[in-house]
């Protein structure tokens, strides 16, 4: 099939308005009809009519306290100096909370405020053992008279009929999303069943020859289909009911048949993938053939190749295949449609102003949804951009919020103020501990240990290399940095760089680990790589770390020491940003060797040729060192449990872990 071209590329607002107008004209975005459900099973359903109480609550006069029921007039004149004596079954009755008030009685005296005549009189509170004696029930039989020391008023400690709910009062209005407390009120008001809006039925149709289900054979060119499961979860969260169809291969006739079938029993159709401009992206052409394409292409990133259409008077949304695009597009078009069918308003996310921690360049002509992490650093909320790829689902997993970059803006400057739509609450965000710098696998263990110790704190790490971490410290955009920078002249780690880059800051250097750096090679070392000089061989392909990383500094130092010209190494200019990515690239097979730590090689079952033992430190501004969250982090680093788990990775010496290093 020929390649698609976008029929349009409307702004987000234009696309939303055009879609909504077309659905309104056809009356296919109206609130759905109602259905009867039991009150007990009505959580998160939307009322289709107002609900009125059938009974009052309470429906009788009830005691609000454990004690004795009395007539208020019989208590007048009681005082500490002149207590009154009351007789059982004539002047009072023992009563428990919730019991009906005996006829003719109009007040309750709390059990703590009386004394049995046949026991010692205590001025003040009744002793605990006497209170227990009185409220047990059967043991009250021996008490014939009581003393009271103050009068009561009519209605004291009594719940009157309808105190909470009066029969026929409005309990819940129409178009109300039912919460647990609402269920309690409904049941209390005698409501056993109620009319709620039907859940919008949404067909979710994943497409693509490359898709396989989890458990299928994973080979190059095949990917696990998970977008439909995410969308199903969102549909459920938004109040709809999803039906996920089997994966439809890239066969136009098959997709056409499934679409027509889906319109029979669903209120909305969602097609995942096949909406872009590839030779097998034919969703738009099929929709055009059997219905109407309203929009093909929206000026948002991620989410540009979105399709909006109508088939057999059923709204259709074609979501892009990349996972982040899928979610962003669904939130902008599917969510509003579901809420409209339920006749519910969409509550807007909380927003907070923040300062950009890094400069971001953006393309003109598209509104960008930038995922960010947030942290309170030096009294400012800083926004840290996450990976921007449309298929990086972890960027949404990690995101604290979204920054929208307008279509006519070329990007965001460092420390520029931005508005962030929050995915998480501010308490969580304020507890983020930002660590910037060199990557290491034990940071993941540290992150898990921090959250596994009943802590509200969260470790948020950014792998920008050792030098990048020190620059972040200098610019006040991180709580701490990780580094393993070897100074070629002195042979010392980190301190010479701290003196040159941030001489004005008071810093505390804490050792995290000593670790083995070396060459990561394929299992069995098929190229027989033994030393750094082998990297210059014509049959060796190398993968490097980024400039400014401690690993890159170490490599350049060793190459210079051995008088090896970097230009003679194939792949010296090709870079990765973490040890795991280096190991992953070698494991994939296209690269023969990369420099990294032993634990990364072990994860992928690769061989390792050690070349150096280095010191890996945490650098902490003194202003933060004594804070509760940093001390909590250091306590975990010094714990036996953390060290045990870190050592299991291999390649670490933790004998100095957690100790402050003095130069």
């Amino acid at each position: 099939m020929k390649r698609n071209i976008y029929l349009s590329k409307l702004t987000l607002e234009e696309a939303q308005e055009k879609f909504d107008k077309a659905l309104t004209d056809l009356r296919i975005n109206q609130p759905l009809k109602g259905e009867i459900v039991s009150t007990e099973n009505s959580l998160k359903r939307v009322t289709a009519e107002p609900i009125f109480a059938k009974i009052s609550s309470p429906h009788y006069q009830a005691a609000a306290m454990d004690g004795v029921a009395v007539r208020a007039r019989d208590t007048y004149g009681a005082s500490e100096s002149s207590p009154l004596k009351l007789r059982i079954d004539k002047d009072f009755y023992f009563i428990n909370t919730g019991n009906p008030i005996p006829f003719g009685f109009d007040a309750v005296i709390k059990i703590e405020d009386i004394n049995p005549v046949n026991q010692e009189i205590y001025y003040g509170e009744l002793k605990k053992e006497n209170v227990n004696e009185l409220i047990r029930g059967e043991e009250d039989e021996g008490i014939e008279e009581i003393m009271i020391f103050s009068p009561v008023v009519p209605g004291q400690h009594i719940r009157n009929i309808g105190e909470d709910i009066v029969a026929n009062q409005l309990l819940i209005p129409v178009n109300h999303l039912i919460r647990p407390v609402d269920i309690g009120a409904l049941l209390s008001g005698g409501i056993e069943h109620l009319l709620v809006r039907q859940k919008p039925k949404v067909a979710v149709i994943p497409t693509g020859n490359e898709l396989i289900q989890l458990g299928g054979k994973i080979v190059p060119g095949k990917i696990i289909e998970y977008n439909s499961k995410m969308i199903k979860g969102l549909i459920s969260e938004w109040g709809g009911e999803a039906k996920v169809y089997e994966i439809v291969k890239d066969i136009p006739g098959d997709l056409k048949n499934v679409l027509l079938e889906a319109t029979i029993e669903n209120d909305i159709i969602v097609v995942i993938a096949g909406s872009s401009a590839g030779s097998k992206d034919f969703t738009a052409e099929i929709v055009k053939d059997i219905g109407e394409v309203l929009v093909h292409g929206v000026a948002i990133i991620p989410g540009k190749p979105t399709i909006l259409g109508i088939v057999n008077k059923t709204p259709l949304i074609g979501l892009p295949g990349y996972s982040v695009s899928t979610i962003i597009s669904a939130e902008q078009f599917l969510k509003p449609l579901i809420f409209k069918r339920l006749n519910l308003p969409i509550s807007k996310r909380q927003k907070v102003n923040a300062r950009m921690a890094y400069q971001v360049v953006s393309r003109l002509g598209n509104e960008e949804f930038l995922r960010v992490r947030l942290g309170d650093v030096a009294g400012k909320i800083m926004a840290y951009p996450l990976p921007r790829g449309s298929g990086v689902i972890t960027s949404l997993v990690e995101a604290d919020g979204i920054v929208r970059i307008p279509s006519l803006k070329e990007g965001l400057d460092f420390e520029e103020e931005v508005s962030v739509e929050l995915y998480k609450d501010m308490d969580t965000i304020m507890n983020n501990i930002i660590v910037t710098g060199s990557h290491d696998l034990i940071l993941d263990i540290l992150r898990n240990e921090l959250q596994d110790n009943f802590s509200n704190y969260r470790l948020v790490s950014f792998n920008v290399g050792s030098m990048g971490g020190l620059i972040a410290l200098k610019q006040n955009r991180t709580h701490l940095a990780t580094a393993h920078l070897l100074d070629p002249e002195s042979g010392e780690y980190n301190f010479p760089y701290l003196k040159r880059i941030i001489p004005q800051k008071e810093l505390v250097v804490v050792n995290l680990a000593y670790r083995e750096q070396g060459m990561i090679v394929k299992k069995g070392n098929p190229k027989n790589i033994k030393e750094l000089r082998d990297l210059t061989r014509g049959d060796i392909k190398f993968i490097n770390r980024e400039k400014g990383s401690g690993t890159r500094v170490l490599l350049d130092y060793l190459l210079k020491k051995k008088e090896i010209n970097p230009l003679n190494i194939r792949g010296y200019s090709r870079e990765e940003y973490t040890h795991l990515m280096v190991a992953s690239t070698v494991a994939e097979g296209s690269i023969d060797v990369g420099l990294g730590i032993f634990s990364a090689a072990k994860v992928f079952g690769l061989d390792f040729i050690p070349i150096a033992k280095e010191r890996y430190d945490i650098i902490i501004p003194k202003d933060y060192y004594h804070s509760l969250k940093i001390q909590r982090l250091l306590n975990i680093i010094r714990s036996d449990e953390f060290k045990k788990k870190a050592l299991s990775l291999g390649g670490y010496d933790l004998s100095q872990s957690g100790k402050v290093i003095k130069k």
Side-chain angles (χ1 to χ4, degrees), residues 74-360:
D74 294 340
T75 69
Y76 297 156
S79 67
E80 291 286 333
S81 60
S82 180
L84 288 181
K85 185 185 298 184
L86 301 179
R87 292 164 295 177
I88 195 169
D89 296 338
K90 180 180 180 182
D91 303 318
F92 77 90
Y93 290 96
F94 282 102
I95 196 166
N96 290 324
T97 301
N99 287 163
I101 302 298
F103 180 77
F105 290 72
D106 60 2
V108 171
I109 301 175
K110 290 191 297 183
I111 199 73
E112 299 96 321
D113 296 338
I114 65 171
N115 278 106
V117 169
N118 58 343
Q119 295 189 30
E120 181 183 352
I121 295 177
Y122 298 94
Y123 292 92
E125 290 190 3
L126 191 64
K127 284 187 176 179
K128 183 178 179 181
E129 57 268 25
N130 296 329
V131 174
N132 292 339
E133 182 76 13
L134 287 176
I135 63 176
R136 279 202 299 267
E138 292 181 1
E139 289 77 357
D140 300 340
E141 293 178 359
I143 300 172
E144 300 293 333
E145 295 180 326
I146 61 173
M147 286 287 191
I148 62 171
F149 302 93
S150 62
V152 296
V153 297
Q156 181 168 304
H157 302 316
I158 287 179
R159 296 190 69 204
N160 288 315
I161 295 173
E163 177 187 86
D164 186 10
I165 296 171
V166 178
N168 298 312
Q169 84 172 65
L170 177 66
L171 285 177
I172 296 177
V174 68
N175 301 324
H176 179 85
L177 185 66
I178 295 176
R179 306 162 297 169
V181 292
D182 299 322
I183 292 175
L186 289 166
L187 293 173
S188 183
I191 306 300
E192 187 176 357
H193 295 87
L194 66 155
L195 188 69
V196 297
R197 300 217 180 271
Q198 295 176 0
K199 292 185 175 183
K201 294 180 180 179
V202 185
V204 180
I205 306 170
T207 70
N209 290 338
E210 73 281 8
L211 301 180
I212 59 172
Q213 298 290 1
L214 181 63
K217 187 176 181 180
I218 300 176
V219 296
K222 296 294 182 182
I223 58 175
I224 295 170
E225 197 287 304
Y226 60 85
N227 280 339
S228 65
K229 280 68 174 180
M230 292 194 306
I231 294 301
K232 179 182 178 181
L234 287 174
I235 290 167
S236 177
E237 190 177 281
W238 295 334
E241 183 178 307
K243 177 183 178 180
V244 177
Y245 284 65
E246 292 294 324
I247 297 169
V248 179
K249 300 300 181 182
D250 292 325
I251 302 172
D254 289 357
L255 180 57
K256 180 178 180 179
N257 292 336
V258 172
L259 288 179
L260 290 172
E261 176 192 331
T263 62
I264 297 172
E265 55 183 20
N266 293 284
D267 302 301
I268 304 167
I269 298 174
V270 171
V271 181
I272 302 176
S275 62
S276 192
S279 60
K280 294 185 178 181
D281 293 324
F282 43 73
T283 301
E285 288 299 317
I286 292 173
V287 174
K288 184 179 179 182
D289 181 44
I290 60 176
E292 180 182 5
V293 173
L294 300 166
V295 175
H296 185 194
V298 183
I300 57 173
I301 296 178
K304 183 171 65 174
T306 296
I307 297 170
L308 305 174
I310 300 171
V311 176
N312 286 350
K313 292 189 176 181
T314 306
L316 179 142
I317 301 172
L319 300 176
Y322 281 127
S323 53
V324 181
S325 297
T326 301
I327 297 295
I328 296 295
S329 182
E331 286 193 334
Q332 301 309 310
F333 298 103
L334 179 57
K335 182 179 181 179
L337 184 52
I338 290 175
F339 273 62
K340 184 158 282 192
R341 302 310 302 269
L342 292 170
N343 211 16
L344 281 178
I346 297 180
S347 57
K348 293 185 178 180
R349 290 192 177 103
Q350 181 185 353
K351 292 184 179 182
V352 66
N353 289 335
R355 301 274 181 180
M356 291 302 302
Y358 295 92
Q359 183 185 39
V360 173

Side-chain angles (χ1 to χ4, degrees), residues 414-587:
F414 169 55
E415 289 210 330
E416 180 175 344
E417 188 173 63
V418 293
S419 178
V420 185
E421 298 176 22
L422 296 183
Y423 285 165
K424 299 173 186 174
D425 63 84
M426 281 303 297
D427 286 342
T428 298
I429 290 165
M430 295 298 284
N431 283 324
N432 283 344
I433 302 174
I434 308 299
V435 53
T436 306
S438 173
H439 168 255
D440 195 285
L441 274 66
I442 57 177
L443 291 178
D444 290 335
I445 292 179
L446 188 55
R447 175 184 176 184
N448 283 325
E449 286 297 294
L450 189 63
Q451 292 188 218
D452 195 35
N453 282 267
F454 304 101
S455 171
N456 293 323
Y457 302 124
R458 300 291 182 270
L459 192 67
V460 179
S461 60
F462 295 97
N463 305 315
V464 297
S466 297
M467 196 68 75
L470 301 191
I471 297 299
L473 278 180
K474 181 178 182 179
Q475 296 178 338
N476 292 318
R477 49 186 170 89
T478 190
H479 292 120
L480 48 88
T482 49
H484 57 109
L485 288 165
L486 173 65
D487 178 49
E489 294 182 6
S490 64
E492 176 62 80
Y493 274 94
N494 295 328
F495 284 105
Y497 292 91
L498 297 179
K499 185 176 180 180
R500 289 200 298 268
I501 296 172
I502 12 178
Q504 73 281 11
K505 275 188 180 292
E506 287 190 84
L507 302 167
V508 179
V509 178
V510 176
N511 179 247
L512 188 52
Y514 284 83
R515 62 186 192 179
E516 291 183 34
Q517 281 269 22
M519 291 185 288
I520 299 173
V521 298
K522 297 173 184 176
K523 186 68 175 176
N525 193 8
K527 292 292 182 75
N528 196 28
I529 298 169
K530 296 180 179 180
E531 59 178 356
L532 284 175
R533 198 167 298 279
D534 289 334
L535 300 181
T536 62
R537 285 167 31 193
D539 63 332
I540 300 297
K541 287 181 285 186
F542 178 71
I543 183 74
N544 208 347
R545 286 292 305 279
E546 78 281 11
K547 297 180 182 68
S549 68
T551 302
R552 178 70 166 262
V553 171
L554 174 64
L555 174 65
D556 290 346
Y557 166 74
L558 293 174
L559 292 178
K560 184 177 181 180
K561 188 176 180 180
K562 293 179 180 293
E563 298 181 346
I564 298 173
N565 187 347
L567 297 179
N568 293 331
I569 299 174
R570 291 176 61 196
Y572 177 84
S573 60
R574 181 177 174 181
E575 301 176 347
E576 284 292 356
Y577 284 82
T578 69
H579 296 286
L580 282 178
M581 288 302 298
V582 169
S584 173
T585 305
V586 174

Side-chain angles (χ1 to χ4, degrees), residues 364-382:
L364 287 173
N366 295 293
E367 180 180 4
E368 181 172 0
F369 288 69
L370 180 71
R371 288 82 74 196
V372 297
R373 291 302 301 257
L374 298 172
D376 178 18
V377 182
K380 295 183 291 187
I381 303 297
M382 302 295 291

